[in-house]
Amino acid sequence: MNAPRKVAIVGAAASPVGRWAPSDQDDDALFELDVLGPLVIAALAEAGLDRSAVDTAAFVTPSPSTRQLGFSTYMAARLGLRCNGSVSEVSALGVSGGLAFDQALADVALGRSETALALGISYQTNAPLPVVMEHSLRAVGDVDFQSPFGLTPISWYAFDAARYMHETGITREQIAQIAVKSRRHAMANELAQFRKELTLEEVLAQRMIVSPLGLFEVPSVADGAICLVLASEEAARASGKPYVTVEGRGYHHEGYHQIGGKPHDMTAFPAARQAARAALDTAGVSLGDIDLAELYAPCTITEVLVSEAIGFCAKGQGALDAAAGVTSLGGRIPINTSGGCLSRGHPPALTGLYGLLELREQLLGRCGARQVEGARLAMHCCESGNYNAALIHVLEGPK
Amino acid sequence: MTLPIININADLPSVPRSGHFTRQFWQALGEGRFLLQQCTACTALRFPPGSICTECSGSETLWIEAGGRGTLYALTTVHAGPPALMRDGPYTRAIVDLNEGVRLIAEWLGDPQARFDTPVELVVTRYANGCLFGARSIAA
């Protein structure tokens, strides 16, 4: 086996995040292939490649409302791929997008693949809400000892928020600044689901969803489709086209599912801290070198807690830093310049890929009004459960 | 110690399964006793019950009865839940740390604004088609 090679992101294409899944009754519907196929072709074209180059297709497992099963091998066939690396579906709740990227990354790094796709399509808005809820309850809890209590995915973050407020004295109003900041960022992102300016008063005026979090402090349902193209840095350099490289990677699962069976600080997110340390170590950089970050954060509180866990903000300071502009565009460490889950939008299994896309666009200097000036090193983090697991990649822009 | 049993005139939308390693728990719960497993190899307490010890992979266990007292760690009230659970409006759930050093989710019976880190007791919530467990505040 050869030594691992450095890997680059050489192409990408994505649909805007939003509510656009077709209903089964629509006889003009675009099915999964019809949305994802053109994105794959566009992403490869950006890299100056065609389908014959692809050795790996790492699909995010599609949502339960997807009719076609055997999705990865079916889709590889319909896309006209012939692969020597691997064709797979990967999923592990919110880490799924990051894991698909990781699979593509590993295949290229290990020389199994010259060109690898990390891709997926997720229809969330075409399923009846009770069906989605019943399914999600079973995903985010022990089906016998937790799911019967009716804890929806975001209700676990609501526990975090309630506990954090109790321990720190930080208020809901202060935490809600994350929603305002996210919207300000998303206003300049053409892929974002919500782009109309939002005030703190509007955020606080919404109906409660899972106390202490209201409608604008939690994500909306959303559909998405995205394809990233990875190749060896050597091939990327030879192409003469702009690219970003993957410099570091870290992962940790803390051994809990939502909450563990023993008392512990559920707001500490140790998986994020540990994965970040591993990613920085493999990249050979320190946290202070990171210019911007995309952090998987379905709710306002989640961004506060992961910012603190990784160390971008001091313990108890995450919300205050957001209010002070520290984590906004122009601040010390801009976080979620895409608008994040709250405003860019949150097709959960694909959120990781959308976050990686944002960092790639930032590092290539293509973000216009939301560009982080001089962005060179960026960190991406996605998670599952109550940040029980975290997967972190460090990306670097053109030298 | 027998837990208070609260009768609720409704069906649980989702009834927990009772299996080889959990049926003793659910049977005892119906009688007002809250059982924990204890690993005979490393003495760690385990909840939920199951076939192996998370701490040491041991498979031999004893059942011990919890005292039914603990501390409130956190609460949330779900205002947008599955329709079957929203029949009577929003519902409140608790994370409770038992005095034995076990953390669990419970229905919350009482003030949704109750202060955290205060003492609670476990109760059995007996529905028409099965039992769950809840918690409520008690005097310190």
Side-chain angles (χ1 to χ4, degrees):
Chain A
M1 204 122 91
N2 301 323
R5 307 186 288 183
K6 190 170 278 192
V7 179
I9 305 174
V10 295
S15 292
V17 176
R19 290 169 171 263
W20 44 260
S23 83
D24 284 350
Q25 281 75 45
D26 177 5
D27 77 353
D28 195 35
L30 293 176
F31 298 125
E32 285 84 351
L33 168 71
D34 311 319
V35 176
L36 192 55
L39 294 176
V40 171
I41 303 303
L44 284 166
E46 190 197 1
L49 297 166
D50 68 34
R51 291 177 298 175
S52 66
V54 176
D55 279 324
T56 288
F59 293 89
V60 173
T61 302
S63 48
S65 66
T66 301
R67 192 169 177 81
Q68 180 69 54
L69 298 179
F71 189 80
S72 58
T73 166
Y74 165 82
M75 197 60 82
R78 293 300 304 270
L79 291 169
L81 305 179
R82 283 162 180 70
C83 297
N84 297 311
S86 62
V87 171
S88 63
E89 272 164 58
V90 298
S91 78
L93 300 178
V95 169
S96 303
L99 276 183
F101 182 78
D102 220 34
Q103 169 73 16
L105 172 68
D107 272 11
V108 175
L110 295 174
R112 296 166 176 165
S113 191
E114 288 308 314
T115 305
L117 308 180
L119 71 172
I121 179 164
S122 177
Y123 286 159
Q124 197 181 33
T125 65
N126 64 350
L129 198 59
V131 174
V132 174
M133 278 204 169
E134 198 271 342
H135 191 268
S136 64
L137 290 184
R138 285 160 52 205
V140 298
D142 181 303
V143 292
D144 298 314
F145 290 87
Q146 293 173 338
S147 306
F149 293 93
L151 289 168
T152 57
I154 52 175
S155 57
W156 296 95
Y157 301 122
F159 279 132
D160 288 325
R163 185 69 201 180
Y164 183 81
M165 287 160 57
H166 168 73
E167 287 185 7
T168 63
I170 299 288
T171 63
R172 177 192 168 203
E173 288 74 7
Q174 290 170 312
I175 298 169
Q177 291 284 355
I178 298 285
V180 178
K181 179 200 74 144
S182 299
R183 183 60 59 86
R184 205 163 51 237
H185 287 170
M187 286 170 68
N189 183 359
E190 289 176 359
L191 295 180
Q193 184 173 16
F194 302 107
R195 300 182 60 192
K196 186 171 157 284
E197 191 172 5
L198 187 62
T199 65
L200 182 61
E201 291 68 33
E202 288 170 304
V203 175
L204 297 174
Q206 302 308 308
R207 67 189 164 90
M208 208 33 87
I209 300 296
V210 280
S211 68
L213 304 173
L215 184 66
F216 289 174
E217 294 150 273
V218 304
S220 180
V221 291
D223 308 310
I226 182 167
C227 177
L228 302 185
V229 184
L230 282 67
S232 68
E233 185 183 24
E234 195 183 348
R237 196 184 302 117
S239 76
K241 295 177 181 297
Y243 63 89
V244 306
T245 53
V246 184
E247 298 292 322
R249 185 264 191 198
Y251 176 87
H252 186 69
H253 191 299
E254 67 177 345
Y256 291 143
H257 186 55
Q258 308 301 148
I259 53 169
K262 287 184 299 191
H264 61 100
D265 178 3
M266 81 178 287
T267 66
F269 291 5
R273 178 176 296 271
Q274 202 157 320
R277 194 180 306 128
L280 292 167
D281 284 351
T282 51
V285 299
S286 62
L287 192 64
D289 296 327
I290 300 294
D291 298 309
L292 77 159
E294 284 283 312
L295 308 177
Y296 185 108
C299 300
T300 47
I301 183 66
T302 328
E303 182 176 314
V304 170
L305 296 182
V306 66
S307 303
E308 295 180 9
I310 291 174
F312 289 125
C313 305
K315 183 77 181 161
Q317 283 291 313
L320 304 178
D321 281 353
V326 174
T327 57
S328 298
L329 275 172
R332 170 170 58 79
I333 174 69
I335 291 174
N336 292 343
T337 55
S338 65
C341 294
L342 293 169
S343 282
R344 187 272 321 288
H346 183 46
L350 300 182
T351 287
L353 291 175
Y354 274 95
L356 287 157
L357 172 64
E358 171 70 10
L359 296 181
R360 183 234 184 195
E361 298 302 302
Q362 286 282 359
L363 293 171
L364 294 180
R366 295 173 171 176
C367 286
R370 70 176 197 288
Q371 181 64 44
V372 175
E373 289 307 319
R376 192 182 67 82
L377 273 175
M379 177 183 284
H380 180 264
C381 176
C382 55
E383 59 114 5
S384 64
N386 189 55
Y387 257 93
N388 304 120
L391 175 60
I392 293 188
H393 292 96
V394 173
L395 306 182
E396 185 172 11
K399 311 290 183 286
Chain B
M1 190 192 125
T2 307
L3 307 182
I5 296 179
I6 313 280
N7 286 303
I8 298 174
N9 186 25
D11 276 335
L12 275 172
S14 167
V15 180
R17 297 169 303 177
S18 184
H20 183 75
F21 289 97
T22 59
R23 66 176 180 242
Q24 275 171 280
F25 172 84
W26 295 111
Q27 277 166 10
L29 187 71
E31 297 160 5
R33 292 178 300 124
F34 198 95
L35 298 187
L36 303 172
Q37 280 181 317
Q38 182 168 38
C39 177
T40 55
C42 76
T43 75
L45 292 174
R46 171 154 97 245
F47 186 83
S51 54
I52 62 160
C53 175
T54 316
E55 300 296 318
C56 78
S57 302
S59 57
E60 298 292 317
T61 60
L62 298 170
W63 288 99
I64 66 157
E65 188 175 336
R69 295 290 171 95
T71 304
L72 178 62
Y73 182 75
L75 290 173
T76 184
T77 300
V78 180
H79 296 256
L85 277 160
M86 291 294 292
R87 282 177 307 213
D88 301 319
Y91 52 90
T92 303
R93 300 296 181 247
I95 297 175
V96 169
D97 292 337
L98 298 184
N99 291 344
E100 287 82 1
V102 165
R103 174 166 290 184
L104 49 79
I105 294 293
E107 298 190 74
W108 182 247
L109 291 82
D111 180 6
Q113 307 298 326
R115 187 159 177 80
F116 300 169
D117 297 328
T118 55
V120 300
E121 66 174 0
L122 286 181
V123 302
V124 178
T125 47
R126 181 186 280 155
Y127 291 80
N129 60 345
C131 290
L132 277 184
F133 37 95
R136 62 187 180 191
S137 295
I138 51 170

